[in-house]
Amino acid sequence: MSDNQKRLHEVNEKLNAIVSYVELETSGSGLIENWDVALKDNINMKGTLTTASCELLSNHLSIYNATVVDKLLATGANICAKTSMDELGMGGTNLSAITGPVKNPYDLDRISGGSSGGSAALVGAHAVRAALGTDTGDSIRKPAAYCGAVGVKPTYGRISRYGVIPYASSLDHVGYFTQNVEDAAVMLEVLAGRDDLDMTSSFEPVENYAALLDLDLKGKRIGVFKDVQDVIGNESMRQQFASLCEQLEAQGAILVDKHMNVELLRAMLPVYSVISNSEAVANHANLDGVRYGKSQPGDDLESIMKATRSQGFSSMIKRRFVYGAYALDDDNQEDVFNQAKRVRRMIVDAYATMIEDVDIMLACASGVIAPKLNENTHNERSDEYLIAENHMVINNFTGYPSMTIPFGYVDDMPIGLNISAKPFKEATMFAYAKAIETQINWKGEF
Ligand code: GLN
């Protein structure tokens, strides 16, 4: 075992972030030569287990590489582990993984967040240089905030999704975690680009992001997502955000308060639930023990499928599938699924207007620090929950690039700043992120 692998095993004894280890001779060379990189366990890599932390896929060996895996290998990455996630990516705590909860590197009594929790925890613990994740609602950006990592969800279509187990196709993005903004810029150069195997992949040229990080804030317009900030209950969180804004103003930036219709903001989570669960139940119709996964015995095809799906999914997944099937049912489709899509469009239009005259939008990624493993913190009908805890889903609706960087501490736990930009303006997003990172000089000590 290499020294790196030994260290990874040690860290993992505390964090429970890894589903399986990967040991491969690296042959590629390039931008990320010898970087230890971990993959969320919904990303296929030939010959490795790819379980999506789901019982039904617990014996699933990948027979091909996702495009992102080919890109990592070609540029010299040392892919070292597959990481734990919420079952099928459906969740925000990483408590639903079949291998058990992932612990937060800053406090082992707290969650990593999810669904890309294992990847976030390993990067937050500085046990790997980078890790891949997926983000359908906020599943990279929220755990990044909880674990003190940089988490990037680029524009929809920017990174190929070929070979990645889907959740909700109109919302799913592949992205990643790094320890700093410069590495995040390098990673996008490695991962982005047109892929003929993914029909949603973009032809937009890939930029030299790491060379475009210099930015003079003088005269630059930055939007502050006031509706989010105003409903955050934690005083210190709000204050640290406000003082960051003052520092940016002191450097010549123009900060503009931004608002959206509150009814639309309160509709974000219900709209997301309808669309994500509907798309999920359709996407996962193939998990039946016949084509894939751990099959249960039965007398005929139907009883095999029934037994496999009954035993292969947790009750949380089944509830979500019932919800999605209800929304797609002939009798309900117009009033539920189609209505959700119409409201999604209204939210997208309102956000596009809001960001029009600024380069980026800023807000706290979450109004709270990582909750305790058994803590149920939220009143789910409050604006604090509906808006402050769920606003990042807007950029899954829009497909615009969005990232989180650590920007301070509350109770010795890291807190995250969410930075979002216009479509395919990742270079702009990274340049602002770098300027802010330099300004706050966050060390990542735990
Ligand atoms: N927490 C959200 C959900 O449960 C987001 C998950 C994600 O982005 N994969 O669906």
Side-chain angles (χ1 to χ4, degrees), residues 44-50 60-66 162 292:
N44 281 290
M45 176 173 180
K46 192 174 176 174
T48 68
L49 263 181
T50 302
H60 177 243
L61 277 176
S62 300
I63 56 171
Y64 68 105
N65 281 347
Y162 176 73
Y292 281 110

Side-chain angles (χ1 to χ4, degrees), residues 135 141 152-157 173 344-345 347-356 359 361 392-403 418-426 429:
D135 189 313
R141 292 161 292 160
V152 179
K153 180 204 83 64
T155 311
Y156 190 80
H173 297 66
R344 172 182 181 170
R345 173 49 54 191
I347 295 171
V348 168
D349 289 346
Y351 188 82
T353 305
M354 194 164 80
I355 198 172
E356 208 166 58
D359 285 341
M361 288 292 303
M392 290 195 291
V393 77
I394 292 179
N395 285 317
N396 298 83
F397 292 163
T398 62
Y400 295 5
S402 182
M403 70 188 288
N418 181 224
I419 308 171
S420 303
K422 293 173 186 155
F424 296 103
K425 295 292 184 198
E426 280 86 356
M429 178 173 79

Side-chain angles (χ1 to χ4, degrees), residues 373-432:
L373 282 163
N374 52 9
E375 179 182 359
N376 192 354
T377 35
H378 301 300
N379 166 3
E380 298 200 346
R381 285 170 189 265
S382 65
D383 280 348
E384 180 164 17
Y385 179 70
L386 289 172
I387 299 174
E389 292 317 307
N390 285 289
H391 70 92
M392 290 195 291
V393 77
I394 292 179
N395 285 317
N396 298 83
F397 292 163
T398 62
Y400 295 5
S402 182
M403 70 188 288
T404 299
I405 63 170
F407 84 108
Y409 295 92
V410 167
D411 295 338
D412 297 327
M413 292 297 294
I415 55 174
L417 177 75
N418 181 224
I419 308 171
S420 303
K422 293 173 186 155
F424 296 103
K425 295 292 184 198
E426 280 86 356
T428 305
M429 178 173 79
F430 290 144
Y432 277 95

Side-chain angles (χ1 to χ4, degrees), residues 14-16 86 92-97 99-105 107-114 121 146-147 369-377 413:
K14 297 196 184 107
L15 301 180
N16 193 35
D86 275 298
T93 59
N94 228 105
L95 296 169
S96 67
T99 48
V102 174
K103 316 284 174 57
N104 191 298
D107 178 351
L108 300 178
D109 290 330
R110 293 181 182 275
I111 64 170
S112 59
Y146 286 171
C147 293
I369 57 170
K372 290 257 167 73
L373 282 163
N374 52 9
E375 179 182 359
N376 192 354
T377 35
M413 292 297 294

Side-chain angles (χ1 to χ4, degrees), residues 296-333:
Q296 299 298 333
D299 294 336
D300 52 30
L301 204 55
E302 199 177 326
S303 52
I304 293 173
M305 289 182 182
K306 219 175 193 170
T308 299
R309 287 174 71 88
S310 297
Q311 290 179 43
F313 300 127
S314 71
S315 55
M316 178 272 291
I317 296 291
K318 289 177 197 158
R319 266 201 311 279
R320 289 190 184 214
F321 284 176
V322 169
Y323 187 132
Y326 175 89
L328 290 176
D329 185 272
D330 272 357
D331 287 344
N332 308 323
Q333 198 170 112

